[in-house]
Amino acid sequence: MKTKPFFFTPSRGGLLSAVLLAALMAGCSSVPLEGAPVENRTPTDGSGANAGGTETGVANVNLGQSNLPAWGKLPRVVYFDLDSYTVKDEYLNVVEANAKALAADRTRRLTIEGHTDERGGREYNLALGQKRAESVAKSLTVLGASANQLEAVSFGKERPASSGTGESVWAQNRRAELNPR
């Protein structure tokens, strides 16, 4: 009588054994990295030194209370590109100023409201507004705010900042508002 290998024997869960073996072999595979191109992305100020003043080239963030504007005078709006929830570099100062204020006073709270322009369906815009609010909230936590100080909500296209049509109007409506609560 001929016997089959263990993992192909139907009476012993051969199919399951074959799948597990295949998964194990796939998980153990590796990709050789020798000769892979490496790109140096360390920013410099022209003199060869790191622009940020650290070994990694990342600027330090001072979370102290010095030079903090009054809570009511902080910038409160972050604008987004069409169909995007990525915080643009030009609005990092808004996020950083609010993160510093939140880190300096842990009793403060913010509601981040995500908004969209009028284009697209209601469900899509609610989801996109939520992603925008959560993106700003994540940026705030990375810069020192605590997650329990933040609430991300979406209004989609329901609360436009500007009415009408056209790119200039739509651009004003694609935003996240940081509102103290």
Side-chain angles (χ1 to χ4, degrees):
M1 177 173 171
K2 233 179 185 181
T3 61
K4 297 180 182 177
F6 172 76
F7 55 89
F8 287 112
T9 306
S11 63
R12 296 190 183 179
L15 182 59
L16 177 61
S17 297
V19 170
L20 290 175
L21 181 62
L24 178 65
M25 292 174 60
C28 294
S29 67
S30 63
V31 177
L33 296 177
E34 294 94 27
V38 177
E39 182 178 343
N40 183 359
R41 292 185 153 206
T42 304
T44 62
D45 61 4
S47 65
N50 287 339
T54 65
E55 290 182 21
T56 62
V58 176
N60 292 326
V61 176
N62 180 5
L63 297 178
Q65 290 185 335
S66 62
N67 299 325
L68 281 177
W71 183 245
K73 295 183 180 182
L74 289 171
R76 298 278 182 212
V77 182
V78 175
Y79 293 97
F80 294 88
D81 290 331
L82 177 66
D83 294 328
S84 173
Y85 54 93
T86 301
V87 177
K88 298 192 291 188
D89 290 343
E90 63 192 89
Y91 297 105
L92 290 178
N93 62 332
V94 174
V95 176
E96 185 176 353
N98 282 276
K100 284 181 181 181
L102 289 167
D105 184 355
R106 295 293 180 185
T107 64
R108 294 180 186 218
R109 305 279 186 260
L110 275 181
T111 299
I112 303 125
E113 299 176 354
H115 300 274
T116 65
D117 61 34
E118 65 186 31
R119 298 172 288 180
R122 184 175 186 275
E123 292 81 13
Y124 173 80
N125 282 325
L126 283 171
L128 180 58
Q130 187 67 32
K131 287 180 181 180
R132 287 176 175 168
E134 290 171 357
S135 177
V136 171
K138 180 66 174 174
S139 298
L140 287 164
T141 59
V142 166
L143 292 172
S146 174
N148 64 0
Q149 293 177 283
L150 308 170
E151 180 182 7
V153 297
S154 175
F155 289 102
K157 60 183 176 181
E158 303 304 319
R159 294 188 181 177
S162 186
S163 59
T165 58
E167 184 54 39
S168 63
V169 171
W170 294 329
Q172 293 174 9
N173 292 331
R174 295 188 304 257
R175 69 197 190 282
E177 293 181 7
L178 290 77
N179 296 315
R181 50 180 166 116

